[in-house]
Amino acid sequence: RNSAIRFIPRENGVHSIDVKFNGSHIPGSPFNVRVGETGHAGDPGLVSAYGPGLQAGCTGVPAEFVINTCNAGSGALSVTIDGPSKVKMDCVECMEGYKINYTPMAPGNYLISIKYGGPQHIVGSPFKAKVTGVRLSGGHSLHETSSVLVQTVTPNNFERSGGPRGPLCQGAGLSRAFIGQKNVFTVDCSKAGTNMLMVGVHGPRTPCEDVYVKHLGNKLYNVTYTVKEKGNYVVIVKWGDETVPGSPFHVTVP
């Protein structure tokens, strides 16, 4: 018996499709489907963001997240943070693209909008971060906006000097995971030379037992892992003897 499934994507980027039979994944599931053209300059579908600052923060303490623009071509990067207070925001280049630090001054919910190459949001944007703590400055406004705009020219990697580029890690599984689900991220080693990929996941008390690495072709790897308890996890990714940019990644299991 054959079944046809249709869906209408609402945003660009890589979509993960889980297909289960009797509660178990069929072979190959989850399947990754890219929506949008690849290699298009300023393509928001090829930009990803991760880091604890996209989910939570504390007043007076800098919160951090990274925006990976390595594969997206040149374009304008726009970051806007709406919330109960204005935030001090810094944007610096890093291996993956750009590192954003912002310091909220009042508790509440902050909406983080990230756009690239025009008016289109990147995958997952807008993000919602819950900030706790005491009010440190400002009045009692419910809506203040802070923003930064960066015009990118070339991806920030070793290709500028003609050398190899390091592996690129991206995906929701690098910042947050859930009990009873398959948590996924990808590692792109296509321009990192020849070596062996090693991945480890360590939980609050013991290492994670169920970690699966699948080679999808052209040195693109899909990593799936499951967790059994709440808490803070550490994901370590190495390409040979070298730790990949961004590793170790800190993952929260609510």
Side-chain angles (χ1 to χ4, degrees), residues 4 13 83 102 118 175 202:
Y102 70 96
S175 58
H202 200 284

Side-chain angles (χ1 to χ4, degrees), residues 157 185 200 230:
N157 52 46
F185 64 91
K230 298 179 181 180

Side-chain angles (χ1 to χ4, degrees), residues 120-168:
Q120 297 297 319
H121 288 267
I122 72 166
V123 178
S125 175
F127 301 89
K128 187 176 181 180
K130 185 176 182 179
V131 172
T132 58
V134 298
R135 177 177 289 274
L136 299 177
S137 70
H140 293 279
S141 172
L142 297 177
H143 185 81
E144 296 282 358
T145 300
S146 308
S147 60
V148 62
L149 181 66
V150 179
Q151 181 64 49
T152 67
V153 179
T154 56
N156 184 28
N157 52 46
F158 292 135
E159 285 181 339
R160 291 177 177 174
S161 57
R165 186 180 73 188
L168 301 175

Side-chain angles (χ1 to χ4, degrees), residues 14-230:
V14 178
H15 293 60
S16 180
I17 301 177
D18 292 345
V19 182
K20 297 181 179 181
F21 183 75
N22 287 338
S24 299
H25 285 271
I26 70 170
S29 177
F31 301 92
N32 290 326
V33 177
R34 179 178 296 281
V35 175
E37 298 179 11
T38 59
H40 187 270
D43 186 350
L46 299 177
V47 179
S48 61
Y50 61 90
L54 293 174
Q55 285 99 30
C58 183
T59 56
V61 179
E64 181 181 292
F65 61 90
V66 171
I67 303 173
N68 188 328
T69 61
C70 289
N71 296 323
S74 60
L77 171 65
S78 169
V79 181
T80 301
I81 301 179
D82 292 300
S85 76
K86 282 191 174 294
V87 301
K88 177 185 178 183
M89 186 159 37
D90 295 314
C91 176
V92 296
E93 283 193 81
C94 63
M95 177 68 75
E96 298 91 337
Y98 295 89
K99 181 181 293 184
I100 306 293
N101 279 284
Y102 70 96
T103 305
M105 304 304 288
N109 292 323
Y110 288 75
L111 206 62
I112 303 172
S113 298
I114 305 174
K115 300 178 181 179
Y116 195 76
Q120 297 297 319
H121 288 267
I122 72 166
V123 178
S125 175
F127 301 89
K128 187 176 181 180
K130 185 176 182 179
V131 172
T132 58
V134 298
R135 177 177 289 274
L136 299 177
S137 70
H140 293 279
S141 172
L142 297 177
H143 185 81
E144 296 282 358
T145 300
S146 308
S147 60
V148 62
L149 181 66
V150 179
Q151 181 64 49
T152 67
V153 179
T154 56
N156 184 28
N157 52 46
F158 292 135
E159 285 181 339
R160 291 177 177 174
S161 57
R165 186 180 73 188
L168 301 175
C169 300
Q170 56 186 350
L174 294 171
S175 58
R176 201 159 202 197
F178 298 91
I179 296 173
Q181 296 185 19
K182 286 190 174 184
N183 305 287
V184 183
F185 64 91
T186 60
V187 185
D188 184 355
C189 304
S190 60
K191 298 182 180 179
T194 301
N195 226 316
M196 180 182 294
L197 179 67
M198 291 175 283
V199 180
V201 181
H202 200 284
R205 292 180 292 182
T206 59
C208 183
E209 297 178 0
D210 300 322
V211 181
Y212 301 98
V213 179
K214 182 178 181 181
H215 184 220
L216 303 178
N218 194 30
K219 297 181 185 176
L220 177 64
Y221 298 87
N222 194 76
V223 181
T224 304
Y225 66 95
T226 56
V227 296
K228 297 180 180 179
E229 60 181 335
K230 298 179 181 180

